[in-house]
């Protein structure tokens, strides 16, 4: 790329700095949720009895009464039309990692040759998109097009431009889920029921257990002009070639540094629009890599948090273009520097039927946080241990839930956790569990530290909050009152990991309660009350068994070390790195049994999802291979041979001017370059041919599972070999001739 063009691109980006950023006159709290049908708007636009029924559906999981749908639809339409809305859409999340929508106008015939604005409850509750045109893993044939989208009333409708967006599930005509939301809602229901049952050992009046999710969205920004000059970024979201910049993140000067003015303007505009859509964004900062940033909201209920993240990713792309940027959500857009993740902070909280006391704050009781009584601290240990049991039993499945062709490039490098699922607890909690496992009922174990509390259950020592460091190489780390799942990638739907984790947690808690109840029944005489002592004794006995069972998944050391890979294998943890092979865990008998017992998904749905995952993997690598081959043959080799021709002319000119001996001496360096370019271009041509052959052979494999494995084993290595040769040529060819923007230009916003 010529220097003049580079300067022009940067100059255009400066000129395109958005001057029309909305400057709200109100405080954020005053315009928060402006374009969302929130509860206060429901109260104003719905009849009181309808409003009460809707609140019961949203808060207590009551069944939606279709008789109120028309009244709700009328209120929604009135509110939306007052804001200039003319259309509505069912907004759903198919198995594409994105969202889908089909817009219809608020119009019907009036019977007199004209039109009237109308929106019925029938249209609100259910619609019929084409189920065969979305990924379905063979559940629906091309000629079997019928599928349904159905309103999810627990996630409020919102307005984008002139369209009312209605969050929905998406299912096949035959009932199987074709999206992320339907199984997520089932997983949340399963963990609610199982956790509520366990909570009642400690809180008899607990009414509901909610799943909380706080995601941290990492992303890169690139100048739009430079982005457009990189076909690989345009087509695949990542650079398929590019030599590392001499300066990247090694000085640690970008992390938490001053946010560039242009980026600050983008962030401000994005935050305003996000808050208007009730996305409670709170944190923004520079991340470790150049041009890498992070945005994070306040914790929300899991289903709503997932919807908000999907909406935000779409919003980011739109707002970025208004500021002369493109957002890169790929997990590893640039080699040699940090990739982007989407850390998912997960916790459970209990709500109560009775008015809360001082010990029960309005936000409910966090079940993964220590309490102020012996009973609450025993509850804390129960939920910590059963979480570890869920992660241990299904560590391979949890890895499959976050794995993709794109995230595979990120895991295990530059602060991303390794592709082995383990849990970091810290010294305090590790010592606590070890003590419970080994102690007898009369032994007291005391720990000292900040926020310590004395309790009188011998097996449970003083508990301390945040009295430990963090481990950034841990995929699933305890952080004081929640677990941080650090393995998910930046581009994924949060629901994928949340479905697997919550279903596994529901299974673990159900098993725990069954075993505790069995011990209580075995130790308490018929007809006599069990009482708390018998219950707590049974709980402690089961806890000891589970602490011992899940011990292999606990690891506080360096996840990057080769020793850990070997140790993890000895412990029985999954250490596989091949993405298509990792996906197989969805079809493990233990996974199928867990999903079916919790009623989250059945075997047919799991088989279909795996078909989609394997097919998506193949298509992703296939596109990358085609783009790389095109760039190699039509950009890199022509530019390199053109420079080589210039060098040859220089050598020939030397011989015309100088003596043969001196000309040979002066042109020695150029001769070496000429030879190296010839060798590397020849190697690239050979590798591109081998890459094409590998694709052709893989494409003839009938099984999509085996085809995906072939792409991983034979196509991906060829791509890495080609990249190596191209990156070497980039350091040889004259800078002004190189047609593609380099890392040093892409990574530093001016």
């Amino acid at each position: 790329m010529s220097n003049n063009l580079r300067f022009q691109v940067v100059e255009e980006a400066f000129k395109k700095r958005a001057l029309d950023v909305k400057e709200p006159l109100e405080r954020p709290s005053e315009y928060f949720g402006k374009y969302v049908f929130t509860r206060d708007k429901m109260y104003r636009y719905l009849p009181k009895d309808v409003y009460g029924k809707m609140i019961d559906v949203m808060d207590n999981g009551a069944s939606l009464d279709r008789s109120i749908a028309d009244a709700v639809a009328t209120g929604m339409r009135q509110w939306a039309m007052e804001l200039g809305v003319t259309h509505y859409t069912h907004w759903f999340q198919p198995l594409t990692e994105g969202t889908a929508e089909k817009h219809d106008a608020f119009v019907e015939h009036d019977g007199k040759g004209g039109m009237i604005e109308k929106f019925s409850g029938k249209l609100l509750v259910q619609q019929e998109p084409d189920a065969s045109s979305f990924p379905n893993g063979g559940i629906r044939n091309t000629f079997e097009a019928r599928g349904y989208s159905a309103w999810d009333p627990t996630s409020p409708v919102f307005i984008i431009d002139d369209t009312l967006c209605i969050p929905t599930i998406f299912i096949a005509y035959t009932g199987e889920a074709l999206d992320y939301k339907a199984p997520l809602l089932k997983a949340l229901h399963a963990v609610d029921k199982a956790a509520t049952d366990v909570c009642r050992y400690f809180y008899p009046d607990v009414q509901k257990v909610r799943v909380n999710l706080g995601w941290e969205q990492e992303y890169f920004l690139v100048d739009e002009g430079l982005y457009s000059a990189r076909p690989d970024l345009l087509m695949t979201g990542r650079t398929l070639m590019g030599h590392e910049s001499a300066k990247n993140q090694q000085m640690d000067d970008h992390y938490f540094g001053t946010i560039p003015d242009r980026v600050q303007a983008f962030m401000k505009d994005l935050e305003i629009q996000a808050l208007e859509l009730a996305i409670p964004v709170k944190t923004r900062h520079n991340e470790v890599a150049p041009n890498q940033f992070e945005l994070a909201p306040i914790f929300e209920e899991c289903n709503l948090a997932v919807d908000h993240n999907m909406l935000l990713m779409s919003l980011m792309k739109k707002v970025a273009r208004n500021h002369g940027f493109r957002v890169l959500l790929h997990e590893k857009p640039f080699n040699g520097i940090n990739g982007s993740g989407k850390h998912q902070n997960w916790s459970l909280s209990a709500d109560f039927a009775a008015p809360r006391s001082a010990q029960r704050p309005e936000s409910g009781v966090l079940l993964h946080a220590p309490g102020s009584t012996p009973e609450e601290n025993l509850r804390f240990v129960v939920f910590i241990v059963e979480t570890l049991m869920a992660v241990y039993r299904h560590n391979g499945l949890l890895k499959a839930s976050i794995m993709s062709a794109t995230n595979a490039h990120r895991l295990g490098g530059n602060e991303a956790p390794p592709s082995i699922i383990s849990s970091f607890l810290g010294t305090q909690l590790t010592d606590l569990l070890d003590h419970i496992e080994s102690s007898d009922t009369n032994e007291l174990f005391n720990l000292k530290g900040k926020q310590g509390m004395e309790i009188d259950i011998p097996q449970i020592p003083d508990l301390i909050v945040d009295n430990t460091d963090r481990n950034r190489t841990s995929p699933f780390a305890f952080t004081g009152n929640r677990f941080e799942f650090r393995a998910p990638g930046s581009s994924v739907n949060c629901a994928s990991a949340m479905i697997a984790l919550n279903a596994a947690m529901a299974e673990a808690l159900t098993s725990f309660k069954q075993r505790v109840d069995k011990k209580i029944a075995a130790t308490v005489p018929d007809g006599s009350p069990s009482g708390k002592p018998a219950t707590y004794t049974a709980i402690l006995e089961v806890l000891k068994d589970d602490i011992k069972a899940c011990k292999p998944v606990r690891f506080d050391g360096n996840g990057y070390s080769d020793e850990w890979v070997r140790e993890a294998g000895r412990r029985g943890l999954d250490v596989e790195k091949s993405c298509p092979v990792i996906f197989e865990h969805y079809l493990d008998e233990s996974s199928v049994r867990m999903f079916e017992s919790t009623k989250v998904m059945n075997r047919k749905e799991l088989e279909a999802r795996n078909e989609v995952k394997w097919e998506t993997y193949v298509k992703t690598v296939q596109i990358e291979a085609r783009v790389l081959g095109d760039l190699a043959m039509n950009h890199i080799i022509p530019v390199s041979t053109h420079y080589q021709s210039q060098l040859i002319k220089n050598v020939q000119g030397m011989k015309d001017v100088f003596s043969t001996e001196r000309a040979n001496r002066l042109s020695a360096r150029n001769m070496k370059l000429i030879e190296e370019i010839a060798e590397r271009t020849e190697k690239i041509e050979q590798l591109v041919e081998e890459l094409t052959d590998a694709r052709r052979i893989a494409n003839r494999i009938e099984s999509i599972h085996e085809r995906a494995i072939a792409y991983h084993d034979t196509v991906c290595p060829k791509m890495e070999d080609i990249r190596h040769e191209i990156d070497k040529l980039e350091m040889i060819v004259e800078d002004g001739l190189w047609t593609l923007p380099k890392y040093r230009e892409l990574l530093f916003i001016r």
Side-chain angles (χ1 to χ4, degrees):
M1 187 178 186
S2 69
N3 288 330
N4 287 338
L5 181 54
R6 290 188 181 107
F7 290 137
Q8 182 182 346
V9 166
V10 175
E11 184 179 4
E12 287 298 320
F14 272 110
K15 289 179 180 178
K16 199 170 180 179
R17 183 185 299 180
L19 300 176
D20 58 343
V21 178
K22 287 188 286 184
E23 295 284 354
L25 298 177
E26 315 98 326
R27 292 174 295 180
S29 59
E30 294 174 332
Y31 61 85
F32 181 77
K34 177 180 179 180
Y35 295 116
V36 179
F37 198 56
T38 52
R39 295 183 184 224
D40 63 318
K41 297 184 183 77
M42 289 171 58
Y43 185 79
R44 281 186 282 153
Y45 286 89
L46 301 182
K48 288 187 177 179
D49 61 325
V50 173
Y51 171 79
K53 291 180 179 179
M54 282 298 301
I55 296 301
D56 194 29
V57 170
M58 295 165 65
D59 287 353
N60 304 319
S63 298
L64 178 64
D65 184 353
R66 284 206 173 209
S67 66
I68 69 171
D70 281 332
V72 175
T74 299
M76 282 183 183
R77 179 177 61 82
Q78 181 183 350
W79 164 72
M81 290 183 66
E82 289 175 4
L83 292 171
V85 169
T86 57
H87 289 68
Y88 66 93
T89 182
H90 275 201
W91 182 81
F92 56 98
Q93 301 167 28
L95 302 178
T96 59
E97 300 299 335
T99 58
E101 53 196 67
K102 174 177 70 74
H103 297 198
D104 289 295
F106 285 138
V107 292
E108 298 289 346
H109 286 294
D110 66 354
K112 303 174 184 177
M115 306 292 288
I116 59 172
E117 287 78 18
K118 189 176 181 181
F119 181 51
S120 67
K122 179 181 178 181
L123 296 176
L124 166 65
V125 171
Q126 181 177 313
Q127 283 199 333
E128 185 186 325
D130 189 339
S132 66
S133 297
F134 291 100
N136 60 64
I139 285 180
R140 306 295 288 158
N141 294 309
T142 302
F143 58 86
E144 296 173 322
R146 195 182 298 275
Y148 297 114
S149 56
W151 176 36
D152 171 18
T154 64
S155 183
V157 301
F158 55 92
I159 293 171
I160 298 290
D161 297 325
D162 65 350
T163 304
L164 180 69
C165 300
I166 305 160
T168 60
I169 64 170
F170 180 43
I171 60 173
Y173 175 70
T174 46
E176 295 88 2
L178 296 175
D179 69 342
Y180 283 104
K181 181 181 278 283
L184 175 65
L185 291 174
K186 292 179 180 180
L188 297 178
H189 175 73
V191 80
D192 169 25
K193 182 181 184 305
T196 297
D197 288 344
V198 172
C199 272
R200 285 179 177 151
Y201 287 136
F202 312 99
Y203 313 113
D205 59 339
V206 69
Q207 185 179 36
K208 181 180 180 62
V209 170
R210 301 181 185 275
V211 179
N212 307 307
L213 174 63
W215 41 264
E216 303 168 21
Q217 180 70 60
E218 295 177 343
Y219 61 96
F220 282 84
L221 289 176
V222 174
D223 280 310
E224 187 167 23
L226 298 174
Y227 170 90
S228 299
R230 289 285 308 222
D232 49 355
L233 277 180
L234 190 67
M235 300 292 289
T236 72
R238 76 179 180 107
T239 54
L240 300 175
M241 62 194 71
H243 198 281
E244 291 184 24
S245 172
K247 180 183 185 299
N248 47 53
Q249 67 187 45
Q250 67 265 49
M251 300 299 292
D252 299 322
D253 54 347
H254 189 260
Y255 190 51
F256 282 17
T258 301
I259 300 172
D261 290 345
R262 292 175 58 211
V263 177
Q264 182 95 344
F266 156 75
M267 288 179 169
K268 184 175 183 180
D269 197 2
L270 175 63
E271 287 176 358
I272 292 169
Q273 295 190 42
L275 290 167
E276 288 177 336
L277 290 168
I279 305 173
V281 291
K282 181 178 179 66
T283 301
R284 65 188 185 198
H285 63 83
N286 289 5
E287 256 299 336
V288 174
N291 279 23
Q292 188 186 34
F293 308 94
E294 181 178 297
L295 177 152
I298 301 170
F299 282 68
E300 297 182 280
E301 185 276 327
C302 184
N303 177 46
L304 184 57
V306 169
D307 283 1
H308 278 168
N309 182 250
M310 296 303 294
L311 178 56
L312 181 88
M313 289 193 291
S314 176
L315 189 63
M316 290 172 77
K317 297 173 184 177
K318 175 182 174 182
V319 175
R321 298 193 69 172
N322 293 336
H323 291 260
F325 291 124
R326 285 300 186 106
V327 167
L328 302 182
L329 293 174
H330 193 289
E331 283 75 9
K332 196 74 170 180
F334 303 103
N335 260 16
I337 60 175
N338 275 23
S340 294
K342 180 149 49 193
H343 302 176
Q344 297 182 25
N345 294 277
W346 170 87
S347 65
L348 303 177
S349 60
D351 289 344
F352 301 88
R356 298 186 177 100
S357 65
Q359 286 75 37
R360 295 177 181 173
E362 287 304 312
S363 59
V365 169
L366 283 172
L367 300 179
H368 288 106
S372 57
T373 67
E375 291 83 1
E376 288 192 321
N377 287 318
L378 182 58
R379 174 267 303 156
F380 163 69
V381 176
V382 166
F383 278 89
I384 291 293
V385 171
E386 294 315 306
T387 299
L388 295 176
M389 286 293 290
V391 176
Y392 173 61
R393 285 172 176 159
H394 299 287
N395 73 95
L397 172 65
L398 287 173
K399 182 161 69 173
S401 76
I402 57 86
M403 185 55 72
S404 66
T406 54
N407 202 24
H409 293 288
R410 163 182 167 261
L411 293 178
N414 296 103
E415 286 197 310
S419 54
I420 301 172
I421 302 299
S422 63
S423 185
F424 169 83
L425 298 180
T427 304
Q428 169 74 19
L429 196 48
T430 296
D431 289 346
L432 167 62
L433 298 189
D434 289 344
H435 167 71
I436 295 173
E437 178 189 354
S438 61
S439 67
D440 58 42
T441 56
N442 298 317
E443 182 184 355
L444 183 62
F445 180 66
N446 292 309
L447 297 178
K448 297 180 180 180
K450 68 173 185 177
Q451 299 181 23
M453 61 200 88
E454 294 184 3
I455 58 179
D456 56 7
I457 294 180
Q459 288 79 11
I460 310 297
D462 295 350
L463 300 180
I464 302 168
V465 181
D466 290 344
N467 194 29
T468 183
D469 199 353
R470 291 194 182 191
N471 187 326
R472 300 190 66 82
T473 69
S474 176
F476 196 80
F478 181 67
T479 57
N481 58 9
R482 64 190 182 278
F483 282 90
E484 182 181 19
F485 199 5
R486 303 186 68 249
S490 54
S491 67
V492 301
N493 189 323
C494 293
S496 180
M498 289 294 102
I499 291 167
L501 177 58
N502 286 297
M505 186 64 177
E507 179 195 55
L509 290 170
T510 299
S511 170
F512 174 80
K513 186 173 189 304
Q514 289 171 347
R515 287 176 290 141
V516 170
D517 287 350
K518 185 176 181 180
K519 283 187 177 293
I520 294 173
T523 56
V524 177
D526 292 341
S528 63
S530 60
K532 285 187 177 181
T535 298
Y536 291 168
T537 298
I539 288 173
L540 285 165
E541 289 178 4
V542 174
L543 269 180
K544 287 186 177 185
D545 293 338
D546 286 354
I547 290 170
K548 186 178 298 184
C550 69
K551 208 167 188 176
V553 86
R554 289 158 45 191
F555 179 67
D556 290 0
N558 179 12
Y560 289 158
S561 68
D562 293 335
E563 290 79 10
W564 168 232
V565 176
R566 293 190 290 270
E567 173 63 21
R570 287 193 292 269
R571 293 185 183 191
L573 303 181
D574 186 87
V575 297
E576 179 62 57
K577 292 185 177 181
S578 169
C579 187
V581 175
I582 291 169
F583 289 151
E584 296 173 9
H585 285 296
Y586 271 98
L587 300 179
D588 289 346
E589 283 306 313
S590 59
S591 299
V592 175
R593 185 166 55 250
M594 181 268 289
F595 279 120
E596 290 189 334
S597 68
T598 55
K599 300 181 180 179
V600 173
M601 285 186 284
N602 59 36
R603 184 183 293 273
K604 183 177 181 181
E605 289 172 310
L606 291 168
E607 290 172 345
R609 280 165 193 268
N610 257 32
E611 289 286 311
V612 172
K613 286 179 179 293
W614 285 319
E615 186 175 0
T616 300
Y617 180 87
V618 167
K619 289 178 178 178
T620 300
V621 178
Q622 186 180 73
I623 291 170
E624 290 184 349
R626 287 175 173 172
V627 171
L628 181 59
D630 172 60
L631 286 174
M633 300 304 294
N634 296 309
H635 287 251
I636 305 305
I637 289 180
V639 168
S640 300
T641 53
H642 178 62
Y643 180 56
Q644 185 185 47
S645 298
Q646 291 183 349
L647 294 175
I648 292 172
K649 288 180 181 179
N650 178 270
V651 171
Q652 291 172 340
M654 289 280 191
K655 292 179 180 179
D656 293 338
V657 174
F658 301 106
S659 65
T660 301
E661 182 180 352
R662 190 176 183 193
N664 289 340
R665 187 174 70 254
L666 292 174
S667 60
R669 177 181 178 276
N670 285 353
M671 284 300 299
K672 289 182 179 179
L673 293 177
I674 291 168
E675 291 177 5
E676 184 173 355
I677 291 171
E679 290 173 357
R680 294 196 183 280
T681 53
E682 182 183 22
K683 184 68 171 177
I684 289 172
E685 288 178 336
Q686 176 189 340
L687 287 169
V688 168
E689 185 176 345
E690 292 174 1
L691 176 67
T692 303
D693 289 342
R695 278 180 27 231
R696 287 173 180 164
I697 293 171
N699 289 339
R700 288 196 289 267
I701 300 174
E702 184 174 350
S703 164
I704 189 62
H705 176 206
E706 297 302 321
R707 194 186 315 154
I709 292 175
Y711 261 85
H712 175 274
D713 293 348
T714 64
V715 176
C716 290
K718 296 296 182 186
M719 293 174 62
E720 289 302 312
D721 292 341
I722 293 171
R723 176 174 194 147
H724 173 77
E725 299 298 330
I726 292 175
D727 290 356
K728 292 295 184 182
L729 282 175
E730 182 183 319
M731 300 303 291
I732 296 172
V733 175
E734 194 267 314
D735 190 66
L737 295 178
W738 198 257
T739 57
L740 304 175
K742 299 183 177 182
Y743 273 23
R744 67 169 183 261
E745 295 147 349
L746 292 167
L747 285 173
F748 297 94
I749 291 174
R750 297 165 178 83

